[in-house]
Structures are given as structure tokens and as C-alpha cells.
Amino acid sequence: MKKRLVIAIDGPAGSGKSTTAKLLAKRLGYNYIDTGAMYRAVTLFWLRKNLPLAEEYVCNLLPEISISFTNSSGELRILLNGEDVSEEIRLPKVTEFVSPISTYKCVREFLVEQQRKIGESGGVVMDGRDIGTVVFPNADLKIYLVASVEERVRRRLLELQQKGVVISPEEVRKQIVERDIIDSTREHSPLRKAADAIEIDTSNLTIEEQVERIYQLAIERINK
Ligand code: DC
């Protein structure tokens, strides 16, 4: 029986993590887990409650939250208390608040525990900010994706436009830069490259090239 790896893919917003992780998982026959979607689901739950943005309010909500993933015709869907919120968690309102909410220690502990359970038996590609550093410090393969701000803005705009969201490039740039700052300077599990992660700059790579590169690294690890 072939070894089923835990593959961690971290990097800033718009570096190509989710597209790469999704395709890589498909090619390897692994499960893809989008941990950003889990932080977004918690944020959506809080938004619906109309509560102030404060750690204690968000922490108190956690026992009411159950997050799970399901596959619908090969597409990963995220369920919040049984409701499919895959589209709603991408709304600009959620994007606006997800970074501050993901700085809260209780939220991180709540989600990291679930992420470890999901990935413990291997055969998983997990993307996020702290997968290689905190969630799975012993992951079999750690990738850190980076890309220029210009390229990340271009990609995010395209993604939002495809979803029918109207937003200016300036606004997308502002959101990306703000999120970078919050994600990398927060006290708990900041975004950073694990010492043993392989860094790949995706600014000038096609999705196919990115996936191929990581796929080859995964095959090497499987055959080791
Ligand atoms: O990848 P994304 O844009 O959907 O992530 C949304 C936010 O969630 C991002 O601003 C940082 C946070 N996040 C995190 O703190 N840790 C993770 N493992 C994944 C996402």
C-alpha cells in the first residue's frame, strides 16, 4: 500500500493556493481541505448574529458552530450547521472581517483541532496560512506559495468578476495588502514560511506548471 501523504500548502491571499491544492488533490486522489473556508464560515456565522467585533462574542458562538465538508460532483462544498455556504463565504463582507476574526486564539484552537482530525490519516492536501507551521508541523510535504501583489490582485479580480462581484482593482489591492499585514503580524500562528517548506513563486507560472512541480515532489516523497 502506497504512503498517503499530508501535504501542506501555505501562502498569502491570491498566491494560487486553492486552485493548486484542488488540482493536486484530484491528481493524487487525495482530499482537498480549504482551511480558509473554515475561518470564513465562522465569520459568516458571526455576521449573521449582528454582534460587535470582539473576541469574547466570537468565542461564545463557537459551541453553536459545526463545520463539515462534502463533495458535490467533484466540487468541495462547505457546510455550516448543515447548510451549504460555499458561495456566501466568498462575499466581500466576509472577506472584510475574516482576517480580524482569524486572529482570535479561541477561533484558531477550535479550527486547528478539527483540521488535525480531518488530516490525521493522510491522503490530504490542506491549504491555509499555518498548515506547515502549526496544524501539521510534521507534514510529509510543505509548500509555501508566493506571488507579486500585482499578480495576486489580477487573479483575485478575475475570480470575483467570474462570481459577478463588482469591485475596483484599487479596492482589491487594498484588501490584499491589509490582509497580508493582519495575517503576518498577528500574535497567534502568523503567516510565515516553515523552515522546511519549499518556496515556489507562482507570479510567472501557469496553474499546470505549479501543479506539476508539486506533484513531482509528492511522487518523490511517496516513493521514498
Ligand atoms: O485563503 P482565504 O482567503 O480564504 O483565507 C481567509 C482568511 O482566513 C485569511 O485572511 C486568513 C485566515 N486563515 C488563517 O488565518 N489560517 C488558515 N489556515 C487559513 C486562513
Side-chain angles (χ1 to χ4, degrees), residues 10-11 13-14 17 34-37 39-40 90 95 98-99 102-103 108 115 127-131 135 156 179 183 186 189:
D10 291 304
K17 293 185 304 290
D34 173 359
T35 63
Y39 288 90
R40 286 172 179 272
R90 303 287 157 200
T95 304
V98 65
S99 266
S102 64
T103 64
R108 304 210 69 83
Q115 291 155 9
D127 80 4
R129 304 291 189 288
D130 59 342
I131 311 305
V135 183
R156 203 53 129 197
R179 279 217 283 157
D183 294 351
R186 68 180 176 223
S189 322

Side-chain angles (χ1 to χ4, degrees), residues 22-30 208 211-212 215-216:
K22 212 178 289 172
L23 290 170
L24 179 70
K26 198 168 171 196
R27 217 164 142 189
L28 289 165
Y30 286 9
E208 292 73 26
V211 175
E212 179 61 25
Y215 178 77
Q216 291 305 333

